[in-house]
Amino acid sequence: MKRGFFTALVTILFLQLGNAQTIKTGVLIIGDGSNAVGASIQSSVSGAKTVLLLPGQDFDATLPSGNLSSGIEADLIKRLKVSDQSKEVQEKAFGDKAKVSSAIKSWTDTLKNLTIIKNASWLKLKRSGSGWSVQLSDGRTVKATALINADRSGKVSEAIMVQNVNKPWRALTYDNNLYRTSIAAGQQVQNVSSNLLFVSDLLIPNQENLVVLSPQMESVIAGQAAGALAAYAAFFKTKISQAPLKEIQGELIRYQLSPMPFADIKLIDSNWKSIQFLGLSGFLKADIVNGSANFKPEQLVSTAEIKEPIKEYYYKAQIWFDDNKEPQMTLGSTLSLVCYVGGKSPKNTEDEIKKNWSKVYKFKTEYDPKRNITRREFAVLVNDYLKPFGVNIDKSGRVLR
């Protein structure tokens, strides 16, 4: 009997030693909710080696209705394959954790950079140099460059002695330039969908390579933004505080996450990306009514609404506006503006625009230089030829020249 017990004890010790390995990764995520879903998928598709510690066997996530769904959240909704478009049926499917979990699993199983450790129990979580180290109860250790705290139990915050700061989503406003720094948008809060999320909302001062997703932010959208931030630090072996805002915004837009909450511009819109880029510049501002922000793509563009923001971005624009005082912008005057400010040949530029008008830009209107230009057309042409997204801004959204 004693020999049998001794043999069993040796076997257990041998298995523990066998499991006492170190797993090195770029991004470590702890959690199982919607925040963790968005963070783990985005981190892995952005090229960072990612480990997710899942407290249980499955995700505990839902897809809340009412959001201006984009990015990973919109993709998950497609994967649910809800053929009935009625609100009641959709809401039932979005709230069905088993169905949502199945859709998540079918996606995450295909991601080569993502390792999910289910029923993960950990003993210690601490700093390891500029990164993080977590000791699992099975003897393994995970070391990571960046940590995303998507834990809803409070255990992670207690272990690292960093209190979560419950920062809410903030409604879009043009009272200042902070909207230019948005990294996610569209989460509905109290019937308001014109909400934004900023880099500072996910970070804690003096806590490098730590991204915090509070329960108040719980959404795939917020998680996706966090995943891109952490992945940048891991992929380039740097600090999250050194991640260029434009790089993060560009990465998220590349994966179809909206940084601007335009309710009337859907992901399937052929000009979605151009309108998102231009929206971040503020050249054309949304009409915000009852908590909803509309771009109004077919509305005509006045000279007055674009004058000051474009002058802020480009010195040469001042001279152009001094010489062009018509109240409405036309296709011809827009061509003149982009050529003068961008130093381009009017003839060559017009030839390119005509060539791209219906085939590339997918415009359904006719090209006529004398016609007043729509906001959609203006957004696409200015984005294409002046590239305002390439102009640097500071943390407050002020243009740096």
Side-chain angles (χ1 to χ4, degrees):
M1 190 73 174
K2 288 183 179 179
R3 172 182 278 182
F5 174 76
F6 178 75
T7 302
L9 181 61
V10 170
T11 302
I12 292 170
L13 289 172
F14 176 79
L15 290 172
Q16 287 181 336
L17 287 172
N19 285 331
Q21 65 191 70
T22 298
I23 302 171
K24 292 185 178 180
T25 190
V27 176
L28 170 64
I29 302 165
I30 302 177
D32 62 354
S34 301
N35 280 337
V37 172
S40 57
I41 293 176
Q42 183 61 53
S43 176
S44 60
V45 298
S46 286
K49 193 175 180 183
T50 305
V51 170
L52 170 64
L53 300 185
L54 200 62
Q57 183 66 24
D58 295 307
F59 287 93
D60 183 29
T62 58
L63 297 172
S65 59
N67 285 3
L68 301 181
S69 294
S70 63
I72 290 169
E73 184 175 88
D75 204 327
L76 282 172
I77 289 173
K78 287 182 183 178
R79 290 167 186 262
L80 284 180
K81 298 179 180 177
V82 182
S83 56
D84 190 331
Q85 297 299 305
S86 67
K87 184 178 180 181
E88 292 75 18
V89 173
Q90 286 186 340
E91 287 184 351
K92 185 178 180 180
F94 294 169
D96 188 326
K97 291 184 179 180
K99 284 186 177 180
V100 173
S101 184
S102 177
I104 295 168
K105 184 178 185 302
S106 68
W107 191 350
T108 55
D109 282 350
T110 68
L111 301 176
K112 64 179 182 179
N113 287 324
L114 177 60
T115 299
I116 298 178
I117 301 178
K118 297 182 178 181
N119 299 309
S121 175
W122 52 273
L123 304 174
K124 291 182 180 179
L125 174 62
K126 62 180 182 178
R127 283 281 184 186
S128 178
S130 60
W132 298 89
S133 174
V134 60
Q135 182 185 339
L136 304 181
S137 57
D138 63 9
R140 291 181 293 175
T141 298
V142 180
K143 290 191 174 183
T145 301
L147 168 66
I148 297 179
N149 178 10
D151 170 54
R152 296 177 292 180
S153 70
K155 185 180 176 183
V156 172
S157 297
E158 183 179 351
I160 62 178
M161 294 183 289
V162 173
Q163 185 175 1
N164 279 3
V165 180
N166 288 323
K167 294 183 179 179
W169 287 78
R170 291 182 265 183
L172 169 64
T173 176
Y174 292 107
D175 293 341
N176 54 53
N177 293 323
L178 198 60
Y179 66 89
R180 292 172 177 165
T181 70
S182 171
I183 56 171
Q187 177 76 5
Q188 182 158 315
V189 181
Q190 297 180 345
N191 296 321
V192 175
S193 63
S194 59
N195 293 304
L196 308 178
L197 194 66
F198 305 104
V199 171
S200 58
D201 295 332
L202 303 177
L203 306 181
I204 294 178
N206 303 317
Q207 291 292 331
E208 194 59 73
N209 286 357
L210 171 64
V211 182
V212 177
L213 287 160
S214 68
Q216 195 171 357
M217 294 177 183
E218 190 68 32
S219 66
V220 176
I221 294 173
Q224 185 174 356
L229 264 176
Y232 185 93
F235 190 84
F236 291 102
K237 295 180 173 55
T238 185
K239 297 177 180 178
I240 289 179
S241 61
Q242 296 175 355
L245 173 65
K246 296 284 187 175
E247 290 285 341
I248 302 303
Q249 290 176 320
E251 178 75 351
L252 290 167
I253 289 175
R254 197 155 34 247
Y255 286 97
Q256 295 193 302
L257 183 70
S258 300
M260 295 301 290
F262 298 139
D264 55 347
I265 304 296
K266 307 302 182 185
L267 283 173
I268 59 173
D269 192 307
S270 58
N271 305 130
W272 174 84
K273 185 178 291 186
S274 293
I275 291 172
Q276 283 292 318
F277 279 133
L278 198 86
L280 286 170
S281 72
F283 289 4
L284 294 174
K285 296 177 173 60
D287 181 29
I288 307 171
V289 179
N290 296 327
S292 180
N294 291 298
F295 183 74
K296 296 190 172 180
E298 308 316 318
Q299 184 172 294
L300 301 181
V301 179
S302 71
T303 304
E305 69 180 308
I306 65 168
K307 181 178 179 179
E308 294 307 319
I310 291 183
K311 282 165 54 178
E312 182 185 0
Y313 270 65
Y314 310 105
Y315 284 123
K316 291 180 68 176
Q318 174 67 60
I319 301 173
W320 189 90
F321 282 107
D322 285 344
D323 294 335
N324 295 268
K325 301 184 183 297
E326 291 299 318
Q328 294 293 125
M329 293 293 293
T330 63
L331 283 169
S333 63
T334 302
L335 173 64
S336 170
L337 172 64
V338 299
C339 288
Y340 182 81
V341 174
K344 302 180 185 301
S345 162
K347 178 65 170 62
N348 292 342
T349 303
E350 184 172 33
D351 288 344
E352 286 180 1
I353 290 173
K354 287 179 178 179
K355 183 179 179 180
N356 294 334
W357 192 258
S358 58
K359 292 184 178 180
V360 176
Y361 300 146
K362 307 297 182 183
F363 293 151
K364 301 186 184 305
T365 53
E366 294 294 326
Y367 178 82
D368 178 1
K370 296 179 181 180
R371 177 174 58 80
N372 292 340
I373 194 169
T374 66
R375 289 163 67 91
R376 173 188 298 279
E377 294 163 344
F378 185 89
V380 172
L381 296 182
V382 170
N383 179 65
D384 218 13
Y385 287 97
L386 288 185
K387 303 190 182 305
F389 185 71
V391 177
N392 286 327
I393 59 174
D394 64 15
K395 292 181 179 180
S396 69
R398 182 175 62 89
V399 174
L400 299 174
R401 294 191 297 186

Tab-separated table of all heavy atoms in Angstrom, residues 170-213:
chain	number	residue	atom	x	y	z
A	170	ARG	N	-17.142	58.133	-24.180
A	170	ARG	CA	-17.441	59.568	-24.207
A	170	ARG	C	-18.095	59.969	-25.530
A	170	ARG	O	-17.648	59.560	-26.599
A	170	ARG	CB	-16.165	60.370	-23.987
A	170	ARG	CG	-15.638	60.220	-22.567
A	170	ARG	CD	-14.403	61.049	-22.345
A	170	ARG	NE	-13.184	60.289	-22.541
A	170	ARG	CZ	-11.966	60.778	-22.339
A	170	ARG	NH1	-11.823	62.021	-21.967
A	170	ARG	NH2	-10.904	60.017	-22.528
A	171	ALA	N	-19.151	60.751	-25.426
A	171	ALA	CA	-19.897	61.158	-26.611
A	171	ALA	C	-19.058	62.085	-27.483
A	171	ALA	O	-18.308	62.929	-26.982
A	171	ALA	CB	-21.189	61.854	-26.204
A	172	LEU	N	-19.177	61.908	-28.797
A	172	LEU	CA	-18.473	62.745	-29.765
A	172	LEU	C	-18.865	64.205	-29.596
A	172	LEU	O	-20.037	64.546	-29.509
A	172	LEU	CB	-18.818	62.285	-31.187
A	172	LEU	CG	-18.386	63.198	-32.345
A	172	LEU	CD1	-16.865	63.309	-32.419
A	172	LEU	CD2	-18.952	62.672	-33.669
A	173	THR	N	-17.865	65.062	-29.531
A	173	THR	CA	-18.090	66.501	-29.488
A	173	THR	C	-17.001	67.181	-30.298
A	173	THR	O	-15.879	66.676	-30.383
A	173	THR	CB	-18.084	67.040	-28.045
A	173	THR	OG1	-18.219	68.464	-28.071
A	173	THR	CG2	-16.790	66.682	-27.322
A	174	TYR	N	-17.361	68.334	-30.861
A	174	TYR	CA	-16.377	69.112	-31.613
A	174	TYR	C	-15.965	70.360	-30.834
A	174	TYR	O	-15.405	71.285	-31.406
A	174	TYR	CB	-16.954	69.496	-32.983
A	174	TYR	CG	-17.148	68.297	-33.894
A	174	TYR	CD1	-18.418	67.802	-34.164
A	174	TYR	CD2	-16.059	67.658	-34.471
A	174	TYR	CE1	-18.594	66.706	-35.000
A	174	TYR	CE2	-16.225	66.557	-35.298
A	174	TYR	CZ	-17.497	66.092	-35.561
A	174	TYR	OH	-17.661	64.996	-36.383
A	175	ASP	N	-16.218	70.344	-29.528
A	175	ASP	CA	-15.807	71.470	-28.678
A	175	ASP	C	-14.289	71.552	-28.559
A	175	ASP	O	-13.730	72.587	-28.218
A	175	ASP	CB	-16.422	71.345	-27.281
A	175	ASP	CG	-17.932	71.506	-27.303
A	175	ASP	OD1	-18.451	72.052	-28.294
A	175	ASP	OD2	-18.593	71.071	-26.344
A	176	ASN	N	-13.615	70.412	-28.778
A	176	ASN	CA	-12.148	70.368	-28.802
A	176	ASN	C	-11.740	69.388	-29.895
A	176	ASN	O	-12.595	68.855	-30.606
A	176	ASN	CB	-11.589	69.962	-27.431
A	176	ASN	CG	-12.200	68.661	-26.935
A	176	ASN	OD1	-12.190	67.644	-27.636
A	176	ASN	ND2	-12.761	68.671	-25.733
A	177	ASN	N	-10.444	69.144	-30.027
A	177	ASN	CA	-9.937	68.282	-31.106
A	177	ASN	C	-9.672	66.847	-30.671
A	177	ASN	O	-9.066	66.067	-31.421
A	177	ASN	CB	-8.659	68.874	-31.690
A	177	ASN	CG	-8.914	70.174	-32.428
A	177	ASN	OD1	-9.935	70.332	-33.095
A	177	ASN	ND2	-7.993	71.123	-32.310
A	178	LEU	N	-10.131	66.476	-29.489
A	178	LEU	CA	-9.818	65.149	-28.973
A	178	LEU	C	-10.399	64.036	-29.840
A	178	LEU	O	-9.860	62.925	-29.889
A	178	LEU	CB	-10.336	65.013	-27.533
A	178	LEU	CG	-9.734	63.886	-26.690
A	178	LEU	CD1	-8.219	64.061	-26.559
A	178	LEU	CD2	-10.393	63.840	-25.319
A	179	TYR	N	-11.483	64.322	-30.551
A	179	TYR	CA	-12.103	63.313	-31.410
A	179	TYR	C	-11.114	62.765	-32.443
A	179	TYR	O	-11.241	61.623	-32.896
A	179	TYR	CB	-13.333	63.897	-32.128
A	179	TYR	CG	-13.015	64.980	-33.127
A	179	TYR	CD1	-12.735	64.670	-34.462
A	179	TYR	CD2	-12.953	66.320	-32.747
A	179	TYR	CE1	-12.421	65.662	-35.369
A	179	TYR	CE2	-12.643	67.308	-33.652
A	179	TYR	CZ	-12.385	66.984	-34.961
A	179	TYR	OH	-12.059	67.972	-35.867
A	180	ARG	N	-10.111	63.558	-32.801
A	180	ARG	CA	-9.127	63.108	-33.786
A	180	ARG	C	-8.271	61.959	-33.262
A	180	ARG	O	-7.592	61.277	-34.033
A	180	ARG	CB	-8.221	64.269	-34.190
A	180	ARG	CG	-8.920	65.364	-34.980
A	180	ARG	CD	-8.024	66.559	-35.181
A	180	ARG	NE	-8.654	67.594	-36.000
A	180	ARG	CZ	-8.221	68.842	-36.095
A	180	ARG	NH1	-7.140	69.225	-35.399
A	180	ARG	NH2	-8.846	69.714	-36.871
A	181	THR	N	-8.293	61.752	-31.961
A	181	THR	CA	-7.479	60.698	-31.348
A	181	THR	C	-8.288	59.444	-31.036
A	181	THR	O	-7.791	58.524	-30.391
A	181	THR	CB	-6.812	61.206	-30.056
A	181	THR	OG1	-7.817	61.389	-29.038
A	181	THR	CG2	-6.091	62.526	-30.280
A	182	SER	N	-9.525	59.378	-31.490
A	182	SER	CA	-10.384	58.228	-31.213
A	182	SER	C	-9.799	56.938	-31.797
A	182	SER	O	-9.250	56.929	-32.897
A	182	SER	CB	-11.770	58.465	-31.812
A	182	SER	OG	-12.559	57.288	-31.750
A	183	ILE	N	-9.937	55.842	-31.035
A	183	ILE	CA	-9.473	54.541	-31.550
A	183	ILE	C	-10.616	53.531	-31.660
A	183	ILE	O	-10.410	52.406	-32.133
A	183	ILE	CB	-8.339	53.943	-30.690
A	183	ILE	CG1	-8.761	53.818	-29.230
A	183	ILE	CG2	-7.070	54.769	-30.823
A	183	ILE	CD1	-7.770	53.036	-28.380
A	184	ALA	N	-11.808	53.924	-31.234
A	184	ALA	CA	-12.977	53.050	-31.389
A	184	ALA	C	-14.224	53.884	-31.166
A	184	ALA	O	-14.203	54.873	-30.430
A	184	ALA	CB	-12.932	51.889	-30.392
A	185	ALA	N	-15.317	53.484	-31.804
A	185	ALA	CA	-16.539	54.269	-31.682
A	185	ALA	C	-17.766	53.403	-31.924
A	185	ALA	O	-17.687	52.328	-32.517
A	185	ALA	CB	-16.519	55.420	-32.695
A	186	GLY	N	-18.908	53.897	-31.442
A	186	GLY	CA	-20.182	53.275	-31.767
A	186	GLY	C	-20.843	52.481	-30.668
A	186	GLY	O	-21.958	52.008	-30.841
A	187	GLN	N	-20.182	52.310	-29.510
A	187	GLN	CA	-20.801	51.582	-28.413
A	187	GLN	C	-21.993	52.385	-27.885
A	187	GLN	O	-21.865	53.547	-27.536
A	187	GLN	CB	-19.786	51.355	-27.283
A	187	GLN	CG	-20.342	50.668	-26.061
A	187	GLN	CD	-20.539	49.183	-26.263
A	187	GLN	OE1	-20.164	48.647	-27.304
A	187	GLN	NE2	-21.118	48.513	-25.293
A	188	GLN	N	-23.141	51.748	-27.820
A	188	GLN	CA	-24.338	52.462	-27.371
A	188	GLN	C	-24.418	52.479	-25.855
A	188	GLN	O	-24.340	51.450	-25.199
A	188	GLN	CB	-25.607	51.831	-27.948
A	188	GLN	CG	-26.871	52.582	-27.543
A	188	GLN	CD	-28.020	52.317	-28.485
A	188	GLN	OE1	-27.857	52.339	-29.697
A	188	GLN	NE2	-29.196	52.061	-27.938
A	189	VAL	N	-24.572	53.669	-25.292
A	189	VAL	CA	-24.722	53.851	-23.857
A	189	VAL	C	-25.903	54.786	-23.632
A	189	VAL	O	-25.884	55.935	-24.065
A	189	VAL	CB	-23.449	54.454	-23.217
A	189	VAL	CG1	-23.639	54.610	-21.715
A	189	VAL	CG2	-22.230	53.591	-23.526
A	190	GLN	N	-26.941	54.263	-22.974
A	190	GLN	CA	-28.141	55.057	-22.681
A	190	GLN	C	-28.679	55.760	-23.937
A	190	GLN	O	-28.869	56.974	-23.956
A	190	GLN	CB	-27.842	56.074	-21.571
A	190	GLN	CG	-27.481	55.430	-20.246
A	190	GLN	CD	-27.179	56.445	-19.156
A	190	GLN	OE1	-26.971	57.626	-19.426
A	190	GLN	NE2	-27.166	55.999	-17.913
A	191	ASN	N	-28.886	54.966	-24.967
A	191	ASN	CA	-29.462	55.439	-26.236
A	191	ASN	C	-28.573	56.421	-27.001
A	191	ASN	O	-29.024	57.064	-27.946
A	191	ASN	CB	-30.834	56.073	-26.010
A	191	ASN	CG	-31.838	55.058	-25.493
A	191	ASN	OD1	-31.851	53.908	-25.923
A	191	ASN	ND2	-32.677	55.479	-24.566
A	192	VAL	N	-27.328	56.560	-26.588
A	192	VAL	CA	-26.366	57.399	-27.305
A	192	VAL	C	-25.378	56.486	-28.016
A	192	VAL	O	-24.704	55.680	-27.383
A	192	VAL	CB	-25.613	58.354	-26.353
A	192	VAL	CG1	-24.538	59.121	-27.110
A	192	VAL	CG2	-26.587	59.326	-25.700
A	193	SER	N	-25.301	56.606	-29.345
A	193	SER	CA	-24.380	55.762	-30.115
A	193	SER	C	-23.165	56.535	-30.620
A	193	SER	O	-22.242	55.941	-31.181
A	193	SER	CB	-25.112	55.129	-31.312
A	193	SER	OG	-25.565	56.137	-32.206
A	194	SER	N	-23.170	57.856	-30.428
A	194	SER	CA	-22.056	58.677	-30.927
A	194	SER	C	-20.921	58.728	-29.912
A	194	SER	O	-20.425	59.800	-29.561
A	194	SER	CB	-22.546	60.102	-31.239
A	194	SER	OG	-23.103	60.705	-30.080
A	195	ASN	N	-20.508	57.541	-29.442
A	195	ASN	CA	-19.490	57.461	-28.393
A	195	ASN	C	-18.118	57.083	-28.931
A	195	ASN	O	-18.006	56.351	-29.914
A	195	ASN	CB	-19.918	56.441	-27.336
A	195	ASN	CG	-21.147	56.895	-26.571
A	195	ASN	OD1	-21.166	57.973	-25.995
A	195	ASN	ND2	-22.182	56.073	-26.577
A	196	LEU	N	-17.095	57.588	-28.243
A	196	LEU	CA	-15.704	57.363	-28.641
A	196	LEU	C	-14.907	56.760	-27.491
A	196	LEU	O	-15.264	56.893	-26.320
A	196	LEU	CB	-15.042	58.683	-29.050
A	196	LEU	CG	-15.736	59.569	-30.081
A	196	LEU	CD1	-14.922	60.848	-30.286
A	196	LEU	CD2	-15.905	58.832	-31.398
A	197	LEU	N	-13.798	56.125	-27.859
A	197	LEU	CA	-12.849	55.593	-26.890
A	197	LEU	C	-11.461	56.086	-27.279
A	197	LEU	O	-11.103	56.074	-28.457
A	197	LEU	CB	-12.880	54.059	-26.906
A	197	LEU	CG	-12.211	53.318	-25.749
A	197	LEU	CD1	-12.951	53.586	-24.449
A	197	LEU	CD2	-12.189	51.817	-26.041
A	198	PHE	N	-10.680	56.513	-26.279
A	198	PHE	CA	-9.351	57.064	-26.546
A	198	PHE	C	-8.268	56.177	-25.920
A	198	PHE	O	-8.543	55.399	-24.994
A	198	PHE	CB	-9.249	58.478	-25.983
A	198	PHE	CG	-10.323	59.401	-26.488
A	198	PHE	CD1	-11.395	59.757	-25.689
A	198	PHE	CD2	-10.279	59.894	-27.784
A	198	PHE	CE1	-12.400	60.590	-26.154
A	198	PHE	CE2	-11.271	60.731	-28.265
A	198	PHE	CZ	-12.336	61.079	-27.445
A	199	VAL	N	-7.056	56.309	-26.405
A	199	VAL	CA	-5.941	55.525	-25.888
A	199	VAL	C	-5.810	55.710	-24.380
A	199	VAL	O	-5.616	54.747	-23.631
A	199	VAL	CB	-4.617	55.924	-26.582
A	199	VAL	CG1	-3.429	55.273	-25.881
A	199	VAL	CG2	-4.640	55.529	-28.057
A	200	SER	N	-5.938	56.938	-23.914
A	200	SER	CA	-5.783	57.233	-22.481
A	200	SER	C	-6.822	56.513	-21.627
A	200	SER	O	-6.608	56.286	-20.432
A	200	SER	CB	-5.881	58.740	-22.234
A	200	SER	OG	-7.120	59.247	-22.694
A	201	ASP	N	-7.963	56.132	-22.225
A	201	ASP	CA	-9.002	55.427	-21.481
A	201	ASP	C	-8.581	54.004	-21.134
A	201	ASP	O	-9.169	53.372	-20.245
A	201	ASP	CB	-10.298	55.370	-22.294
A	201	ASP	CG	-10.904	56.744	-22.526
A	201	ASP	OD1	-10.680	57.635	-21.684
A	201	ASP	OD2	-11.576	56.934	-23.554
A	202	LEU	N	-7.582	53.480	-21.843
A	202	LEU	CA	-7.167	52.089	-21.658
A	202	LEU	C	-5.867	51.942	-20.872
A	202	LEU	O	-5.466	50.826	-20.554
A	202	LEU	CB	-6.995	51.416	-23.026
A	202	LEU	CG	-8.223	51.420	-23.948
A	202	LEU	CD1	-7.875	50.789	-25.285
A	202	LEU	CD2	-9.381	50.682	-23.308
A	203	LEU	N	-5.222	53.052	-20.589
A	203	LEU	CA	-3.923	53.013	-19.914
A	203	LEU	C	-3.992	53.641	-18.530
A	203	LEU	O	-4.868	54.462	-18.248
A	203	LEU	CB	-2.867	53.746	-20.762
A	203	LEU	CG	-2.726	53.288	-22.220
A	203	LEU	CD1	-1.639	54.096	-22.916
A	203	LEU	CD2	-2.416	51.799	-22.292
A	204	ILE	N	-3.044	53.249	-17.679
A	204	ILE	CA	-2.917	53.820	-16.341
A	204	ILE	C	-1.566	54.509	-16.254
A	204	ILE	O	-0.536	53.914	-16.614
A	204	ILE	CB	-3.031	52.724	-15.263
A	204	ILE	CG1	-4.448	52.128	-15.288
A	204	ILE	CG2	-2.724	53.277	-13.885
A	204	ILE	CD1	-4.654	51.005	-14.312
A	205	PRO	N	-1.521	55.770	-15.810
A	205	PRO	CA	-0.246	56.493	-15.736
A	205	PRO	C	0.803	55.722	-14.950
A	205	PRO	O	0.513	55.108	-13.926
A	205	PRO	CB	-0.639	57.797	-15.016
A	205	PRO	CG	-2.082	57.986	-15.338
A	205	PRO	CD	-2.659	56.600	-15.374
A	206	ASN	N	2.029	55.733	-15.484
A	206	ASN	CA	3.192	55.100	-14.848
A	206	ASN	C	3.080	53.572	-14.759
A	206	ASN	O	3.802	52.944	-13.979
A	206	ASN	CB	3.412	55.676	-13.443
A	206	ASN	CG	3.586	57.180	-13.458
A	206	ASN	OD1	4.291	57.725	-14.311
A	206	ASN	ND2	2.921	57.861	-12.539
A	207	GLN	N	2.197	52.986	-15.539
A	207	GLN	CA	2.084	51.526	-15.602
A	207	GLN	C	2.293	51.104	-17.058
A	207	GLN	O	1.351	50.994	-17.830
A	207	GLN	CB	0.728	51.056	-15.076
A	207	GLN	CG	0.531	51.227	-13.598
A	207	GLN	CD	1.434	50.306	-12.788
A	207	GLN	OE1	1.810	49.212	-13.249
A	207	GLN	NE2	1.793	50.725	-11.595
A	208	GLU	N	3.552	50.868	-17.412
A	208	GLU	CA	3.897	50.581	-18.803
A	208	GLU	C	3.494	49.175	-19.208
A	208	GLU	O	3.533	48.236	-18.406
A	208	GLU	CB	5.406	50.780	-19.006
A	208	GLU	CG	5.833	50.849	-20.450
A	208	GLU	CD	5.158	51.980	-21.216
A	208	GLU	OE1	5.515	53.149	-21.003
A	208	GLU	OE2	4.272	51.664	-22.015
A	209	ASN	N	3.100	49.043	-20.468
A	209	ASN	CA	2.726	47.765	-21.074
A	209	ASN	C	1.605	47.046	-20.317
A	209	ASN	O	1.579	45.817	-20.217
A	209	ASN	CB	3.949	46.859	-21.226
A	209	ASN	CG	4.851	47.337	-22.355
A	209	ASN	OD1	4.537	48.298	-23.053
A	209	ASN	ND2	5.967	46.676	-22.544
A	210	LEU	N	0.692	47.854	-19.803
A	210	LEU	CA	-0.514	47.351	-19.160
A	210	LEU	C	-1.719	48.050	-19.783
A	210	LEU	O	-1.788	49.280	-19.805
A	210	LEU	CB	-0.485	47.623	-17.651
A	210	LEU	CG	-1.792	47.338	-16.893
A	210	LEU	CD1	-2.133	45.852	-16.947
A	210	LEU	CD2	-1.670	47.808	-15.438
A	211	VAL	N	-2.644	47.252	-20.312
A	211	VAL	CA	-3.881	47.789	-20.876
A	211	VAL	C	-5.031	47.291	-20.013
A	211	VAL	O	-5.141	46.090	-19.754
A	211	VAL	CB	-4.096	47.334	-22.333
A	211	VAL	CG1	-5.370	47.939	-22.902
A	211	VAL	CG2	-2.898	47.721	-23.194
A	212	VAL	N	-5.863	48.207	-19.563
A	212	VAL	CA	-6.952	47.851	-18.666
A	212	VAL	C	-8.296	48.062	-19.350
A	212	VAL	O	-8.594	49.156	-19.819
A	212	VAL	CB	-6.893	48.690	-17.372
A	212	VAL	CG1	-8.081	48.349	-16.470
A	212	VAL	CG2	-5.586	48.435	-16.626
A	213	LEU	N	-9.075	46.994	-19.388
A	213	LEU	CA	-10.425	47.060	-19.941
A	213	LEU	C	-11.404	46.901	-18.783
A	213	LEU	O	-11.614	45.797	-18.281
A	213	LEU	CB	-10.636	45.952	-20.967
A	213	LEU	CG	-9.906	46.154	-22.302
A	213	LEU	CD1	-9.771	44.834	-23.049
A	213	LEU	CD2	-10.639	47.173	-23.162
